[in-house]
């Protein structure tokens, strides 16, 4: 009888484990599908920002979208990004200083930031560092001007 109970207990544990694994796989699949839909939505929204159709988004186009596209503004507000922050974030993403970004680059950056709280925090830290650096450069220029 004890042996029969052990067999049933093992079967029950296997069934519970299998159910958990299936549930986990189903949730993971739902998360991936949700992320895919969100990314597609972002691509459409930011695709509309490319007002001149050149495949790139300028700072002016990004700012225009923030002020005139409710979906863009709502998304960025959800990340706690204001219009003032956009200039600094744009500069951080524009590593080659070309003055424009491919909209896929913008979408991928914000999609990663949205899906990972750590990335949001890092983006904000970089923004704050950029602000501090600009103040330091201005102060340094002011001191140099005083010395002349």
């Amino acid at each position: 009888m004890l042996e029969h109970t052990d067999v049933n207990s093992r079967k029950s544990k296997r069934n519970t484990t299998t159910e958990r694994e299936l549930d986990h796989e189903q949730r993971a699949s739902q998360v991936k599908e949700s992320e895919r839909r969100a990314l597609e939505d972002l691509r459409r929204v930011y695709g509309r920002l490319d007002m001149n159709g050149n495949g790139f988004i300028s700072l002016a186009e990004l700012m225009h979208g923030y002020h005139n596209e409710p979906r863009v503004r709502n998304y960025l507000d959800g990340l706690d990004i204001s219009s003032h922050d956009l200039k600094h974030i744009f500069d951080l993403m524009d590593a080659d200083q070309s003055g424009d970004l491919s909209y896929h680059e913008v979408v991928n950056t914000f999609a990663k930031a949205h899906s990972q709280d750590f990335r949001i925090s890092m983006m904000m830290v970089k923004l704050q560092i950029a602000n501090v650096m600009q103040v330091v450069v201005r102060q340094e220029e002011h001191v140099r001007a005083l010395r002349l």
Side-chain angles (χ1 to χ4, degrees):
M1 182 78 166
L2 183 60
E3 197 173 298
H4 182 65
T5 304
D6 287 343
V7 170
N8 286 338
S9 176
R10 284 191 296 246
K11 283 182 182 177
S12 176
K13 285 180 185 178
R14 267 189 259 139
N15 287 341
T16 302
T17 302
T18 302
E19 288 172 9
R20 274 192 224 135
E21 288 172 355
L22 289 173
D23 186 50
H24 177 71
E25 288 174 10
Q26 185 178 21
R27 279 186 274 148
S29 177
Q30 289 171 343
V31 167
K32 283 184 180 183
E33 178 60 22
S34 175
E35 288 175 354
R36 186 194 65 74
R37 282 192 308 258
L39 186 58
E40 279 303 312
D41 188 42
L42 281 172
R43 283 194 176 118
R44 280 191 298 275
V45 168
Y46 282 96
R48 283 187 242 141
L49 292 178
D50 184 14
M51 295 185 305
N52 63 6
N54 70 351
F56 295 92
I57 296 174
S58 67
L59 177 59
E61 289 171 320
L62 186 59
M63 296 297 286
H64 180 268
Y66 181 85
H67 293 291
N68 298 298
E69 289 276 346
R71 293 175 79 185
V72 173
R73 185 177 190 138
N74 290 340
Y75 179 76
L76 294 173
D77 285 348
L79 294 174
D80 198 27
I81 296 173
S82 70
S83 63
H84 174 73
D85 298 333
L86 284 179
K87 166 78 171 110
H88 300 292
I89 290 169
F90 185 92
D91 289 342
L92 289 171
M93 290 189 294
D94 188 17
D96 64 358
Q97 303 296 313
S98 66
D100 54 32
L101 305 164
S102 73
Y103 65 82
H104 292 292
E105 192 173 24
V106 175
V107 168
N108 290 336
T109 299
F110 285 121
K112 287 176 185 176
H114 189 265
S115 67
Q116 299 176 13
D117 289 343
F118 176 74
R119 293 217 184 253
I120 294 170
S121 298
M122 291 305 297
M123 188 179 347
M124 295 313 292
V125 166
K126 287 179 182 179
L127 174 62
Q128 291 169 350
I129 289 171
N131 284 334
V132 169
M133 290 302 295
Q134 287 179 354
V135 169
V136 168
V137 167
R138 281 192 297 255
Q139 290 297 321
E140 183 180 40
E141 290 169 355
H142 182 70
V143 168
R144 284 185 188 162
L146 290 174
R147 288 184 181 168
L148 297 175

